[in-house]
Amino acid sequence: MIELRDVTKVFPGGTQAVDGITLVVHEGEFCVLLGPSGCGKTTTLKMINRLVPLTSGTITVGGRDIQKLRATELRRRIGYAIQEIGLFPHMTVAQNIATVPRLLGWRKAKRRARVRELLGLLGLTPVDEFLRRYPAELSGGQRQRVGVARALGADPAILLMDEPFGAIDPITRERLQDEFLRIQREIRKTVVFVTHDIHEAIKLGDKIALMKEGRLIQHATPSQLLAQPADDFVRGFVGTDRTLKALRLTSVREIMDSGPLSVRDDDSLAAARRAMDRLERSFLPVVGEDGLFLGWVGRNSVLGPPSVCVGDRITPYAVLGSPDMPLNEALALMLESATGNLPVTDEDRRLVGLVSFDRLFESLRQIYVEREAGEGSP
Amino acid sequence: MRRNMILFLLLAGLLALTVWTTSLGRVGFFTMAPPAKLLAALREHLEIVLLAELCAVAAGIPIGLILSRRSFRRGAPILSAVTSIAQTVPTLALVGIFSILMGLGLRSAIVALGVYTLLPIVRNTYAGLVSADPAVKEAARGMGMSTPQILWRVEMPLAMPLIMAGIRTSTVLNVGSAAVAGMIGAGGLGEIIMTGVSLRLVEMVLQGAAPTAALAISLDRLLEIVAGRAVPRGLRRPLRREDFGRT
């Protein structure tokens, strides 16, 4: 746990970078420090590992006042990753990752095992090859992975990250964010993460601390921040499309229809017509005997002699959703497709549910209703 | 490959010139230095160069290092000015001054040459340490390295290519300047050159000058190989002209 109490930083020369911040980051929580450049978020981060000395206030890490610890010891217990990465160019990937373990005096065998574990965790495979490489022999994305692996080197409980994905191309950045989320679910570190990117903050954070001119403006979960902005600054910062951003926070699984909504390919057209009438739908997904999604049948295509099977009238269909997909992506897929329906399948292409526009609007309305209620209450 | 070929040809030419001048034996009234004396002079020359270089390295790296520390950085321009000025003083004058201060002989020659060739080492050490990527240093600090650990494990290895380039420059400079040491009785190939000059005997000047040049080229190439080994693998790249600075 990290606790900042009335933390202030005045730089020599009189610039007030941080002004009386009080903030608690709980064990295993992912806290994003968000704000425009110059708002003091990086300074706040660097005060936690004493790269920047604080002017007044107290910071405790794991219940201990950081001023009472030796700076080097404190830092060895806290992982640190920065945008510029700062890999040691004269050391191999393995040596880079083993930096803190070496400072802590771990034995060679233990260091080596840890390096291998981390390379595997961050997807730098084949491990044996990456071990020996030098930073100059890596791509930007790979370097950033090594940077994160190095921060995790000695398995610290706390991780400080200063825009670690800021300098990477958007596609690689998305992928690294996804992977980091996956890793974080596994390792459950207490993370303080600096960014100026609202999308990144919403995607990664359990909590977001929005800062402006050295002050903490709002500290809330991403959905609270979107639903109940504390003031005009927050409203402006999260943007007028906050409803669309909120879609990102809900997964398809939460709103999909998972009832019996499909017909089998060996059903007769008559059975399909009956099913459409019963379910009041003009399109139905078709699955095979094994539950695999095959395509759609529409009301027009099921007209015909009852002896014909549904399987002969299938409209094949390529756009599929997955249960873990956020709603913003699902919406995009639905807009692309003509049917306004998104079949949701598992990894084996087995149909598990269905999302329709109606369903999506309904869930959006719920968010609004909750929001109105939330804004009404104190 | 082509460079090696040129160096080899040059070296072969210089050696041929040395052998030819030595084989002349007598020119007019005068006797050229016999082979044994030439070899002895070469050995002395090498000794002077190596000892002076040792002094320059031993003093230059720590000076460069101290200057690169944050609290001394303000002093850096001053010292760099001082060493630059010291280098504009002709070698001849510098060796002369030291021979007056410390007496004639090997010792004052070595100190004078050491001082004279300090500059490239100081400057390159300083430049190598100061130019280290700030992000790398910040990462090192953020991970809990102490100041000496950052210096020895990060900054020094990163500065190594430039430091080695400085040592190379200074060594080559030293070989040429050491010829002047002959003037104050320190021996070396300079003595043969000086004798040749005073006798107005071009052949004898060449007999001393050709092996001096050959020595400079060989030492430079040798140090290039050594430097290649001393530089950490991740940093190896062909040196650029600016690595050597002004000389």
Side-chain angles (χ1 to χ4, degrees):
Chain A
M1 192 174 86
I2 305 167
E3 214 175 334
L4 287 75
R5 197 162 296 281
D6 293 322
V7 170
T8 300
K9 176 67 196 178
V10 182
F11 279 111
T15 320
Q16 175 119 26
V18 176
D19 187 3
I21 284 202
T22 297
L23 179 72
V24 177
V25 184
H26 295 284
E27 199 95 42
E29 188 177 278
F30 197 126
C31 175
V32 178
L33 296 179
L34 176 68
S37 53
C39 71
K41 53 194 192 299
T42 294
T43 307
T44 306
L45 183 87
K46 286 185 179 175
M47 283 194 283
I48 297 173
N49 68 357
R50 286 182 59 186
L51 282 177
V52 172
L54 42 113
T55 307
S56 67
T58 52
I59 298 179
T60 58
V61 167
R64 293 169 72 182
D65 187 342
I66 59 164
Q67 298 296 345
K68 300 207 170 86
L69 294 165
R70 280 194 23 208
T72 50
E73 262 158 50
L74 174 77
R75 291 175 194 147
R76 286 169 199 177
R77 291 182 10 201
I78 299 178
Y80 187 54
I82 54 178
Q83 179 178 348
E84 304 84 0
I85 319 177
L87 292 182
F88 303 132
H90 59 298
M91 295 186 192
T92 60
V93 166
Q95 288 167 327
N96 265 289
I97 296 175
T99 303
V100 181
R102 220 180 124 206
L103 291 171
L104 292 172
W106 287 20
R107 295 193 173 284
K108 203 172 176 186
K110 191 178 169 192
R111 289 204 309 252
R112 208 177 278 173
R114 179 65 182 159
V115 167
R116 290 181 157 278
E117 187 189 343
L118 284 171
L119 284 175
L121 187 69
L122 282 145
L124 290 161
T125 48
V127 168
D128 286 296
E129 195 192 311
F130 277 102
L131 279 178
R132 276 187 278 276
R133 288 225 192 139
Y134 283 89
E137 299 161 354
L138 302 174
S139 71
Q142 289 168 341
R143 265 180 236 174
Q144 200 49 266
R145 282 162 204 257
V146 175
V148 174
R150 186 173 67 170
L152 291 169
D155 203 11
I158 295 169
L159 217 50
L160 304 182
M161 308 179 94
D162 190 354
E163 303 210 27
F165 309 133
I168 307 174
D169 68 272
I171 296 168
T172 314
R173 188 190 309 149
E174 283 279 332
R175 214 172 56 219
L176 278 180
Q177 288 168 347
D178 291 338
E179 277 176 47
F180 189 68
L181 271 182
R182 172 183 59 79
I183 293 168
Q184 167 64 2
R185 269 196 285 274
E186 207 174 301
I187 60 180
R188 278 278 148 217
K189 301 290 181 198
T190 306
V191 183
V192 182
F193 188 104
V194 164
T195 185
H196 61 262
D197 179 356
I198 174 84
H199 293 280
E200 189 169 57
I202 290 169
K203 184 170 179 183
L204 297 176
D206 298 323
K207 283 279 195 72
I208 297 176
L210 186 60
M211 291 179 68
K212 177 198 173 189
E213 288 163 11
R215 273 192 293 274
L216 183 61
I217 305 297
Q218 188 170 9
H219 184 213
T221 64
S223 48
Q224 280 170 340
L225 194 78
L226 291 170
Q228 303 153 32
D231 61 13
D232 286 342
F233 168 72
V234 182
R235 201 161 299 147
F237 200 85
V238 298
T240 43
D241 59 341
R242 59 197 172 110
T243 316
L244 287 177
K245 285 179 182 128
L247 283 176
R248 185 173 262 251
L249 295 168
T250 311
S251 70
V252 164
R253 189 193 303 281
E254 291 166 59
I255 68 152
M256 70 185 182
D257 271 323
S258 49
L261 284 170
S262 58
V263 287
R264 286 264 299 267
D265 60 343
D266 52 3
D267 283 346
S268 68
L269 291 184
R273 278 200 297 271
R274 276 198 303 279
M276 281 179 189
D277 291 340
R278 184 163 38 85
L279 297 165
E280 295 174 3
R281 280 170 187 271
S282 45
F283 284 96
L284 279 181
V286 184
V287 297
E289 198 178 347
D290 39 15
L292 294 190
F293 175 73
L294 300 172
W296 294 92
V297 281
R299 207 173 268 286
N300 293 336
S301 53
V302 291
L303 299 171
S307 58
V308 177
C309 287
V310 170
D312 295 332
R313 298 290 176 85
I314 292 177
T315 313
Y317 193 72
V319 184
L320 299 174
S322 72
D324 294 320
M325 184 178 270
L327 287 189
N328 61 330
E329 286 175 32
L331 178 62
L333 291 178
M334 288 160 73
L335 290 172
E336 277 169 31
S337 75
T339 60
N341 280 294
L342 184 69
V344 183
T345 58
D346 64 10
E347 287 132 13
D348 303 323
R349 253 183 98 101
R350 241 186 295 276
L351 187 74
V352 293
L354 203 60
V355 178
S356 60
F357 269 131
D358 294 345
R359 197 68 198 167
L360 196 68
F361 284 134
E362 196 183 321
S363 65
L364 265 183
R365 227 191 49 228
Q366 264 167 18
I367 295 176
Y368 270 113
V369 171
E370 279 168 26
R371 190 177 291 170
E372 305 290 301
E375 274 171 6
S377 66
Chain B
M1 213 49 239
R2 194 149 147 232
R3 195 172 141 256
N4 272 342
M5 188 81 111
I6 293 168
L7 279 181
F8 179 77
L9 287 177
L10 201 60
L11 214 51
L14 288 168
L15 285 179
L17 195 60
T18 314
V19 171
W20 174 67
T21 47
T22 310
S23 68
L24 288 175
R26 280 179 78 94
V27 178
F29 292 114
F30 310 109
T31 318
M32 302 293 284
K37 196 181 169 225
L38 186 70
L39 282 178
L42 183 67
R43 218 197 60 218
E44 276 170 6
H45 202 94
L46 196 61
E47 263 170 32
I48 295 170
V49 168
L50 291 185
L51 285 171
E53 190 57 33
L54 213 63
C55 293
V57 170
I61 292 180
I63 293 174
L65 195 144
I66 290 166
L67 284 177
S68 73
R69 297 304 92 186
R70 197 174 299 200
S71 38
F72 285 93
R73 229 167 252 188
R74 238 179 296 164
I78 301 168
L79 195 111
S80 129
V82 169
T83 42
S84 293
I85 291 165
Q87 228 183 15
T88 63
V89 178
T91 338
L92 201 61
L94 203 67
V95 172
I97 291 165
F98 273 89
S99 72
I100 293 164
L101 291 176
M102 299 174 59
L104 293 175
L106 192 63
R107 218 156 50 106
S108 45
I110 287 169
V111 175
L113 290 173
V115 169
Y116 189 65
T117 54
L118 201 60
L119 175 67
I121 298 178
V122 172
R123 194 189 44 216
N124 277 28
T125 305
Y126 173 81
L129 290 172
V130 171
S131 66
D133 183 354
V136 172
K137 282 194 271 190
E138 195 199 311
R141 223 155 73 83
M143 280 188 292
M145 284 196 188
S146 63
T147 311
Q149 279 168 336
I150 295 173
L151 177 64
W152 294 114
R153 294 188 190 181
V154 179
E155 293 183 275
M156 277 306 252
L158 290 181
M160 222 45 200
L162 273 180
I163 295 177
M164 289 310 292
I167 293 175
R168 264 175 77 189
T169 309
S170 129
T171 304
V172 174
L173 202 61
N174 231 326
V175 174
S177 312
V180 180
M183 241 186 43
I184 58 167
L189 293 165
E191 216 164 75
I192 298 174
I193 299 173
M194 290 298 160
T195 315
V197 170
S198 53
L199 296 175
R200 301 177 66 89
L201 196 64
V202 178
E203 289 87 342
M204 196 181 281
V205 174
L206 283 176
Q207 194 190 14
T212 308
L215 189 64
I217 292 169
S218 326
L219 280 180
D220 186 48
R221 186 76 187 94
L222 188 73
L223 277 173
E224 195 182 339
I225 294 164
V226 172
R229 298 266 155 86
V231 171
R233 225 195 85 192
L235 300 179
R236 282 180 205 168
R237 57 162 174 82
L239 282 169
R240 289 185 279 261
R241 183 179 289 276
E242 59 264 27
D243 290 342
F244 295 93
R246 302 166 285 121
T247 48

